[in-house]
Amino acid sequence: VDVAALEHAFDTNRDRFLRDWMELLRFPSLGGFPEREGDCERCAAWLRDWLSAAGLPAEVLSTPHRPVVFAERGGRPDAPTVLFYGHYDVQPADPLEQWTTPPFDPHLRAGRMYARGAEDNKGQLFAVLAAAATLVRNNALPGALKIVLEGEEECGSRGLYAKLAEWKRRLAADVLMVADTGTVPSGAPTITMGLRGVAFLNARLRGPDHDLHSGTHGGLAPNPALGMARLLTTLHRPDGSVAVAGYYDGVAPPADEERRLADAEPFDPAEYRRATGCDPAGGERGLSAALRRGFRPTLEINGLHSGYAGPGTKTIIPSEAEAKISLRLVAGQDPAHCLEAVARHLAAHVPPGLRLDIPERAVGGPGFRLRLDSRAVARARRALAGVSPQPTAFLWEGASVPVVSALAEAAGAEPILVGFGSEEDRIHAPDESFSVEQFRKLFLYAARFLSHP
Amino acid sequence: VDVAALEHAFDTNRDRFLRDWMELLRFPSLGGFPEREGDCERCAAWLRDWLSAAGLPAEVLSTPHRPVVFAERGGRPDAPTVLFYGHYDVQPADPLEQWTTPPFDPHLRAGRMYARGAEDNKGQLFAVLAAAATLVRNNALPGALKIVLEGEEECGSRGLYAKLAEWKRRLAADVLMVADTGTVPSGAPTITMGLRGVAFLNARLRGPDHDLHSGTHGGLAPNPALGMARLLTTLHRPDGSVAVAGYYDGVAPPADEERRLADAEPFDPAEYRRATGCDPAGGERGLSAALRRGFRPTLEINGLHSGYAGPGTKTIIPSEAEAKISLRLVAGQDPAHCLEAVARHLAAHVPPGLRLDIPERAVGGPGFRLRLDSRAVARARRALAGVSPQPTAFLWEGASVPVVSALAEAAGAEPILVGFGSEEDRIHAPDESFSVEQFRKLFLYAARFLSHP
């Protein structure tokens, strides 16, 4: 199937693709919220029906948590079997008041689709499904295709993890195709060569058993907000590195060729500032941006809350402070080991008079790096060559798709990650969007990748 | 009027006092909230009507903000004129879910009245009003009595401040009587010899202009939550003292007699722990609890908020962090100077890549200390001697009634602060309460103080 024919197929079916994509975006399929369980089930059923109607016979498989949609279509035994992985769950949409249009009421404005999940991951997964459906209709799928769409990627993939061993035969494939990543800033087609792992913990410092008057008790009661500030400050050294003993155990440094390719990609601080509103002043001093993001772990605070948040003032010493902490880990680090190291560090640095507890901790998954000489990488480069005149870029990403390592291992497949996300998409934030042009490029790549083994 | 007669008068009128007190507690008279302006006005009108009906002719005076209730009744010219000050506004009631019964639906349980404002200040002020009304009915008020009840004590007394100069003649008095303080832990009648001053500022650190994905941006974007933790940590030295240059300028050390009386009051860490749930581990190391609270300034965080606060995790680098900071100041410190010193310190310690702004700052008022040889102190000691067999205690308080210094100066009056609050009352917190016994003691003291010049 050549590019011109695929472009024609896209243009012919564009309105139908957009309409169906919008239907998919209407489900508030938040994976981690009990009150959204029904929405996740309805979203999974919709995907099953859509795939089946497209000639990709699908079913909804239950797990201990959110259901998984699984589709399978046979192919020539001599062509590699592809397993496509995506997730239909989305991040929470708050703060709601910062959305121009409601997060679950998709709107197309100036060529961009706005909705929670417009990019991550409903937009990207649906571009691949649309490509696969087009190939089925044209009888142009050479190898077998399996599709697995889970509903808990944003909160730890618990349901899929629980079933990986049981579904090993069902998932078996040669290549694990994932479209949950982005391109380099130039927009050149990009193969993501690595992802970071992730783990989480929530830390709580308790002082008084109720909020105290800050006049009567100021100078007597220990202040959990101040204590938490002091505790969190101990996590990093002034040079930006993580001060937790054992945190860097096992970190694999980049090979020379990896370092060369990573640093070859231009990084423009002015462009970064334009896209984010801030200078790239985070992370470790003295390392390039590409190395800091792709080859070094970080330790971030995602939420920090204590005391009064309303208008004006309230003169209290808060009874507690809570920090939501996440660890981004690189190939070679063991997430459970790092989580334990952080927990131990926190316990060893509790300020006087306060009590620490860690009510939640969870491992997402480890980081991983692809080999530059892999067969799947070569196949993706061939597919991308037809989509864009720009040369393909190689990116070692900072983000995580925690289940990818585990799924690749269970399926016996080589992972290949190509996506067309960009900074402009504002994933995980208000006004998330994905352009029809990004959708179209991913459609073309996926159709070429799937049709040319 | 002797104590037995007053006790009889209290017992006879107890039910009526409690009923009227509960009516007063039903107004959600939050001073700082525009949507509560009507409730404040209704509360002021209720007080005016109650006072007038009790023979204390009252009116509601408007200010640029919340209204002030003013009552005046003449007396013998040779007896000192007393100005009684109270505030009918209350603190915000959140977190609402932690109240056993709703904050503005007062309930009497096991001899304690539960409601927002049950103690601070509606309970204490109403005990004084009930005493004054009893004396009026018995024609036992020797000197003139003036009453001023404001509606913004918890948020800076803006309306009263704006009118102090204009009302100077109207407010003129010999003694300024205030019942907005507590007793020492033993419950012995207590004269509060000093109050701390207070000032506020809100600090905001901004990083990216929207929340960023913590994987894609971890190691690149500066994290405002971590930055705020680092910034707040610079405010104190490891020994608990305030590290802000110039913060201690003008702090007047206690005289030997003050130090002796302050430290004579037993402070039991076990009792403190029972009442608050925490050890008295805050403030400066190496100073007694009484000195830390009564004679030393503090710098507290009342609220600290950044990023995600919902259930589970959300992998973002927050776009900003906010801290609500309050300064408690002692006699000799200039609040505006200290506020400026803190603002300058914060500006000088902003972590790389983040931007500070200070959207709000406000001076409450300076701290003050009474003289041990004052005439009003002698009068209060005589009044208290009849109320309790326990000897009167002297307390240098940590809390603030910011307007008291300014009001005393405008009225040309000597302030005298006696209240019957206790730690158990949980003022500013959920389940605030005040016992009928505390109310009764304050009633007896106030009646004796007002009737015996």
Side-chain angles (χ1 to χ4, degrees), chain A residues 107-197:
Chain A
H107 280 75
L108 193 62
R109 289 195 296 275
R112 297 190 73 85
M113 185 74 79
Y114 287 86
R116 169 56 83 231
E119 195 247 72
D120 178 19
N121 179 238
K122 287 174 174 173
Q124 300 226 58
L125 81 81
F126 194 68
V128 175
L129 298 192
T134 302
L135 297 180
V136 168
R137 210 165 36 247
N138 290 284
N139 204 22
L141 264 183
L145 175 61
K146 297 175 176 184
I147 295 171
V148 61
L149 307 174
E150 68 144 322
E152 293 171 290
E153 191 272 341
E154 301 290 1
C155 59
S157 302
R158 293 178 306 166
L160 183 54
Y161 271 118
K163 290 293 190 175
L164 277 183
E166 181 183 335
W167 294 346
K168 213 170 154 62
R169 283 263 297 282
R170 199 195 284 258
L171 297 169
D174 299 291
V175 176
L176 172 62
M177 180 187 185
V178 181
D180 199 17
T181 50
T183 65
V184 293
S186 71
T190 302
I191 301 175
T192 293
M193 299 297 294
L195 289 172
R196 288 197 283 196

Side-chain angles (χ1 to χ4, degrees), chain B residues 290-316:
Chain B
L291 290 181
R292 270 145 61 206
R293 182 169 60 187
F295 296 88
R296 299 294 292 173
T298 62
L299 185 55
E300 295 288 354
I301 310 304
N302 311 116
L304 174 57
H305 294 280
S306 180
Y308 186 63
T313 56
K314 190 177 178 200
T315 50
I316 53 165

Side-chain angles (χ1 to χ4, degrees), chain A residues 178-253:
Chain A
V178 181
D180 199 17
T181 50
T183 65
V184 293
S186 71
T190 302
I191 301 175
T192 293
M193 299 297 294
L195 289 172
R196 288 197 283 196
V198 68
F200 311 93
L201 86 158
N202 288 355
R204 195 154 49 191
L205 273 188
R206 296 170 187 278
D209 59 19
H210 58 284
D211 292 347
L212 299 179
H213 189 290
S214 69
T216 312
H217 293 276
L220 293 184
N223 186 319
L226 276 172
M228 183 60 92
R230 192 167 284 275
L231 180 56
L232 296 178
T233 298
T234 68
L235 290 172
H236 293 84
R237 297 195 188 86
D239 68 2
S241 65
V242 176
V244 173
Y247 197 72
Y248 291 103
D249 289 354
V251 168

Side-chain angles (χ1 to χ4, degrees), chain B residues 126-318:
Chain B
F126 194 68
V128 175
L129 299 192
T134 302
L135 297 181
V136 168
R137 211 167 32 247
N138 292 284
N139 204 21
L141 263 183
L145 176 61
K146 298 176 175 182
I147 296 172
V148 61
L149 307 173
E150 67 144 325
E152 293 170 291
E153 192 272 342
E154 301 289 3
C155 59
S157 302
R158 293 178 306 166
L160 183 53
Y161 271 118
K163 291 291 190 177
L164 278 184
E166 182 183 335
W167 294 346
K168 214 170 154 60
R169 283 261 298 281
R170 199 195 285 256
L171 298 169
D174 299 291
V175 176
L176 172 63
M177 180 187 186
V178 181
D180 199 17
T181 51
T183 65
V184 295
S186 70
T190 302
I191 301 176
T192 293
M193 298 298 293
L195 289 171
R196 287 198 283 196
V198 67
F200 312 93
L201 87 160
N202 287 355
R204 194 153 51 191
L205 272 187
R206 296 168 186 278
D209 58 19
H210 57 285
D211 290 349
L212 298 178
H213 188 290
S214 69
T216 312
H217 293 276
L220 293 184
N223 186 319
L226 276 172
M228 183 61 92
R230 193 167 283 275
L231 180 56
L232 295 179
T233 298
T234 67
L235 290 173
H236 293 84
R237 297 196 188 84
D239 69 2
S241 65
V242 176
V244 172
Y247 197 71
Y248 291 103
D249 289 353
V251 168
D256 289 347
E257 175 70 358
E258 289 174 317
R259 182 189 289 264
R260 195 188 61 74
L261 282 168
D263 283 335
E265 198 52 47
F267 178 85
D268 178 358
E271 169 58 27
Y272 189 83
R273 166 182 270 285
R274 195 199 58 74
T276 66
C278 65
D279 286 324
E284 294 169 83
R285 312 275 174 274
L287 295 180
S288 72
L291 290 181
R292 270 145 61 206
R293 182 169 60 187
F295 296 88
R296 299 294 292 173
T298 62
L299 185 55
E300 295 288 354
I301 310 304
N302 311 116
L304 174 57
H305 294 280
S306 180
Y308 186 63
T313 56
K314 190 177 178 200
T315 50
I316 53 165
I317 293 178

Side-chain angles (χ1 to χ4, degrees), chain B residues 24 43 47 51 67-71 83-90 119-129 145-154 157 160 171 176-181 401 403-404 407 416 418 442:
Chain B
L24 176 59
C43 186
L47 284 162
L51 284 164
V68 164
V69 180
F70 183 78
L83 171 65
F84 173 65
Y85 162 86
H87 65 90
Y88 66 80
D89 64 306
V90 295
E119 194 247 73
D120 179 18
N121 178 235
K122 286 174 174 174
Q124 301 226 57
L125 82 81
F126 194 68
V128 175
L129 299 192
L145 176 61
K146 298 176 175 182
I147 296 172
V148 61
L149 307 173
E150 67 144 325
E152 293 170 291
E153 192 272 342
E154 301 289 3
S157 302
L160 183 53
L171 298 169
L176 172 63
M177 180 187 186
V178 181
D180 199 17
T181 51
V401 189
V403 80
V404 165
L407 186 57
I416 188 74
V418 174
L442 180 50

Side-chain angles (χ1 to χ4, degrees), chain B residues 408-451:
Chain B
E409 191 182 316
E414 198 177 351
I416 188 74
L417 296 89
V418 174
F420 282 85
S422 88
E423 188 49 46
E424 207 179 347
D425 306 341
R426 298 196 169 203
I427 62 169
H428 291 211
D431 279 351
E432 177 178 352
S433 69
F434 197 50
S435 74
V436 177
E437 182 55 24
Q438 289 167 297
F439 185 98
R440 181 179 156 280
K441 280 186 178 158
L442 180 50
F443 172 93
L444 296 177
Y445 154 73
R448 284 175 54 86
F449 185 86
L450 290 171
S451 60

